[in-house]
Amino acid sequence: MDYFTQQLINGLVLGSIYGLIAIGYTMVYGIVGMINFAHGDIFMIGGFIALITFLILISIGLTAIPVILLVVLLVSMAITALYGWTIERIAYRPLRHSFRLAPMLSAIGMSFVLTNYSQVAQGARVKPIPPFITGGYTLHESPDGFVIQLSNIQIMVVITTIVLLAIFTWLVSRTRLGRDMRACEQDQTMAALLGVNVDRTISMTFVIGAALAAVAGLMYLLYYGLVDFFMGFVAGIKAFTAAVLGGIGSLPGAMLGGLAIGLIETFWSAYFSVEYKDVAAFSILIVVLIFMPTGLLGRPEVEKV
Amino acid sequence: MPAKPATGILSILKTAVINATVALVLFSLMIGIRTEAGSEGQLTYWTRFGELASLVAAVFGGSIVIELLRQWIGPSGAERLVPPAVQSGMALLGRFLAPALLIFALLVPVIFYNQRYILDLSILVLTYVMLGWGLNVVVGLAGLLDLGYVAFYAVGAYSYALLATNFGWSFWVCLPLAGTLAAFWGVLLGFPVLRLRGDYLAIVTLAFGEIIRLVIINWQSLTGGPNGVPGIPRPTLFGIPLDSSDDGLAAKLGIEYSPTHRIVFLFYLILAMALLTNWVTIRLRRLPIGRAWEALREDEVACRALGINTTTTKLTAFATGAMFGGFAGAFFATRQGFISPESFTFQESALVLAIVVLGGMGSQLGVALAALTMIGGFELFRGLETYRMLVFGMAMVLIMIWRPRGLIGHRAPTVYLTKAQAISSDLVKEGHG
């Protein structure tokens, strides 16, 4: 039972990270109807920028950890968001009225560019950082010596995710930008006729998605203590699985799917085999698509002739 | 990045300055700072402001050039640059290109007999031509987007490798088996994806490809895991080995043994296999099943309304494509003599898909030319090892922007009512329904 609780905590933390990435997939799919294949690599870029900002801040002698974290968060969100904007502008916008395969292939190409760009720029080796946030709480100690740990970093990941989700929900449901986004999702032509700047709204969607992915990258860096240039690929597919599981296009669904994938992966590693945890995650994608193609919270799509 | 249509040197400069500023922010940390893990695991970093400055300058200069070009060519794009006379000349050339290429391919071992490098390269190109033609059945004809094609390639390669090393079966026995096994896996993958719509199909095939690769890596007792399968037997000419032994081909024919014999044999083997793929595809297109594939690509709803069984149609497309992938995999294993999971990554799938798309989706000649261009281009950049995939990715993006319907050709449907319409990849609905 204790082991179970510990895995539950670990799974929820991992699921929060996946959920943050999944929101980027689901938002872009909702608005432009394409799978942003490069989104996993945006997450990786976010992790790298956070790592480099950390290094600079420490080497100039900053010691207050809350200040460091805040600065790193803002810098990596800003720069990664600019990456998202640029990629949309270069690789997707010229193809918006092309056939459906074109943006998909362009996105695959962009994903290769980003992966190899960071390999060339930062080298192929894994980059570790020392643990910044240490300590934690012991929730329960069983007689046979097993200890349930809740570390500070885990608390921080979950709290940050909740706060970001609150801001994000407010943004989508209450602000002008959110209304524009929902309008574009329903009917781009009509939205344009009613004075919505469709191009700008789509750009903002990519910017917000990339910023959330940057937060996920920072969390990943703090939680696992390392980044490497190839981590975007697998994390990207898993986050996409999360988005599909939750019902693509649905924002709460993405978060729910992220948590589900995180839990499944953690429990699979804990009780079955660590080697096959990715196989488990990918199999879930296939199983979900066979038995409930609209996901947990998705709307069924009407087939039109 | 595209700017609003404006003229004048000032607007060009403004665009260039904006682009350079964006580039400066993007590259500032990733290029300007280089991190590396030290000997004790601690990270060190050093600055590279020189590289950063030259990259930003390159973006600045590049955007000026692009803006000038855009104003010079005008909004209608590059089409205007090609006069009609040249276009009709190209069409005439196209008719003779396929036979000419075939004759050239047959003569390659004769012309380049002493150039081992060119022979090896042409075997590689032909392998990708065959893979491209195999995937073309799924993507080009049936219109189902498959991102995990390399899984079938892997199934074929491992089938031959394991059967040959464990049981000593010959290549010619294993080749049909490898194809059958790959086709079986194709049907297995086909079942779940039948109901899938749009890009979901692409992602599921991608996931399937990754599952196969992960299983190969982790099932160490069977596949040797990351270490791969070494010592795969070389192919024989129906039982006669191509080596320097007494019952080898050279001794039997009474000629002096040369290692090139085997390379030439491999060349003709893959050429024959690729041509078989091509021939089967062309013949299948005239059969009801081929017509059904094309109909499925054009309109699945109409297809069902006309009483075509979409389930079997999709499954046969997957199985046929997978079978050719399996054949190519068995050939790959026997040529390399060693296989490991590293040869079957997603990048390979993307490369084959890029060949099919660039070749114009469904055009057999186009796929062959695209394979030649891509693999040849890859070889040109071999010196720039780490930059190769970067250039490949950039090329994919640029080609999609510049000519999303493929570099080389388009393909008319096999049957049509009154006039042939150019059918292109914009009709691919990735398994809509």
Side-chain angles (χ1 to χ4, degrees), chain B residues 386-407:
Chain B
T386 42
Y387 293 90
R388 214 153 58 119
M389 286 311 290
L390 191 65
V391 173
F392 173 60
M394 280 180 187
M396 241 170 118
V397 174
L398 289 178
I399 289 166
M400 275 301 121
I401 293 171
W402 180 51
R403 288 202 71 169
R405 277 121 206 247
L407 266 188

Side-chain angles (χ1 to χ4, degrees), chain A residues 35 52 55 59 83 89-90 95 99-101 113 116-117 121-122 127-128 240 248 275 289-290 301 303, chain B residues 2 26 30 33-35 43 45 48 145 192 195 199-200 203-204 218 361 389 400-401 404 425-426 433:
Chain A
I35 297 170
I52 296 167
L55 273 182
S59 70
Y83 269 95
R89 200 64 202 265
I90 293 177
L95 294 170
F99 66 108
R100 283 193 69 175
L101 207 57
V113 169
N116 290 281
Y117 158 71
Q122 298 294 334
K127 313 272 185 241
F240 179 77
I248 199 144
E275 288 86 26
L289 284 173
I290 299 169
E301 209 157 304
E303 187 179 317
Chain B
L26 289 185
M30 287 296 281
I33 312 268
R34 171 75 155 90
T35 55
L43 269 185
Y45 75 92
R48 288 187 302 195
L145 183 55
R195 295 196 291 174
D199 318 296
Y200 286 168
I203 291 293
V204 168
N218 288 313
M361 301 269 241
M389 286 311 290
M400 275 301 121
I401 293 171
S425 22
D426 45 354

Side-chain angles (χ1 to χ4, degrees), chain B residues 156-171:
Chain B
Y158 271 89
S159 309
Y160 171 60
L162 295 176
L163 289 174
T165 50
N166 290 333
F167 304 114
W169 292 10
S170 113
F171 177 73

Side-chain angles (χ1 to χ4, degrees), chain A residues 167-232:
Chain A
I167 296 175
F168 182 70
T169 313
W170 169 78
L171 191 82
V172 171
S173 58
R174 291 274 183 276
T175 61
R176 170 74 202 252
L177 177 66
R179 271 208 309 278
D180 288 357
M181 277 161 67
R182 282 178 288 146
C184 288
E185 197 178 331
Q186 303 240 323
D187 188 338
Q188 283 186 19
T189 318
M190 194 64 210
L193 283 174
L194 294 175
V196 173
N197 188 340
V198 175
D199 275 347
R200 205 181 64 96
T201 311
I202 292 177
S203 282
M204 282 313 288
T205 311
F206 276 85
V207 163
I208 295 171
L212 290 178
V215 179
L218 170 63
M219 298 296 156
Y220 186 94
L221 173 72
L222 289 174
Y223 190 51
Y224 290 102
L226 51 89
V227 286
D228 67 79
F229 74 96
F230 205 67
M231 71 182 194

Side-chain angles (χ1 to χ4, degrees), chain A residues 25-285:
Chain A
Y25 277 107
T26 217
M27 268 196 338
V28 167
Y29 195 91
I31 281 202
V32 266
M34 66 168 279
I35 297 170
N36 182 9
F37 212 88
H39 193 63
D41 295 282
I42 298 261
F43 155 76
M44 178 269 300
I45 295 271
F48 263 101
I49 288 172
L51 173 90
I52 296 167
T53 320
F54 263 124
L55 273 182
I56 294 173
L57 290 181
I58 290 166
S59 70
I60 61 171
L62 218 59
T63 47
I65 287 189
V67 180
I68 293 183
L69 282 179
L70 191 68
V71 173
V72 168
L73 183 74
L74 293 179
V75 168
S76 69
M77 275 175 88
I79 296 185
T80 315
L82 191 64
Y83 269 95
W85 182 82
T86 314
I87 288 165
E88 195 270 334
R89 200 64 202 265
I90 293 177
Y92 304 152
R93 189 177 293 185
L95 294 170
R96 198 167 297 156
H97 301 293
S98 194
F99 66 108
R100 283 193 69 175
L101 207 57
M104 174 102 189
L105 287 168
S106 181
I108 293 175
M110 211 63 221
S111 157
F112 282 152
V113 169
L114 289 176
T115 309
N116 290 281
Y117 158 71
S118 52
Q119 188 192 356
V120 168
Q122 298 294 334
R125 285 164 68 184
V126 170
K127 313 272 185 241
I129 57 160
F132 274 96
I133 304 164
T134 46
Y137 305 95
T138 304
L139 293 185
H140 175 71
E141 195 165 351
S142 63
D144 56 359
F146 190 84
V147 181
I148 302 179
Q149 287 278 354
L150 181 64
S151 64
N152 284 338
I153 172 76
Q154 289 177 325
I155 299 173
M156 200 196 84
V157 169
V158 172
I159 288 180
T160 315
T161 308
I162 292 171
V163 169
L164 273 174
L165 278 184
I167 296 175
F168 182 70
T169 313
W170 169 78
L171 191 82
V172 171
S173 58
R174 291 274 183 276
T175 61
R176 170 74 202 252
L177 177 66
R179 271 208 309 278
D180 288 357
M181 277 161 67
R182 282 178 288 146
C184 288
E185 197 178 331
Q186 303 240 323
D187 188 338
Q188 283 186 19
T189 318
M190 194 64 210
L193 283 174
L194 294 175
V196 173
N197 188 340
V198 175
D199 275 347
R200 205 181 64 96
T201 311
I202 292 177
S203 282
M204 282 313 288
T205 311
F206 276 85
V207 163
I208 295 171
L212 290 178
V215 179
L218 170 63
M219 298 296 156
Y220 186 94
L221 173 72
L222 289 174
Y223 190 51
Y224 290 102
L226 51 89
V227 286
D228 67 79
F229 74 96
F230 205 67
M231 71 182 194
F233 181 64
V234 170
I237 302 181
K238 282 184 195 159
F240 179 77
T241 308
V244 171
L245 181 61
I248 199 144
S250 151
L251 297 174
M255 204 58 224
L256 195 66
L259 290 177
I261 291 291
L263 286 172
I264 290 166
E265 190 185 323
T266 314
F267 280 115
W268 187 277
S269 322
Y271 289 102
F272 297 104
S273 77
V274 183
E275 288 86 26
Y276 287 102
K277 70 182 164 87
D278 290 353
V279 175
F282 297 152
S283 309
I284 286 160
L285 175 67

Side-chain angles (χ1 to χ4, degrees), chain B residues 293-316:
Chain B
W293 288 340
E294 288 187 88
L296 187 72
R297 179 192 61 196
E298 310 298 326
D299 195 330
E300 183 167 338
V301 177
C303 220
R304 262 186 288 170
L306 288 171
I308 293 171
N309 185 343
T310 49
T311 307
T312 47
T313 310
K314 283 182 184 175
L315 283 182
T316 44

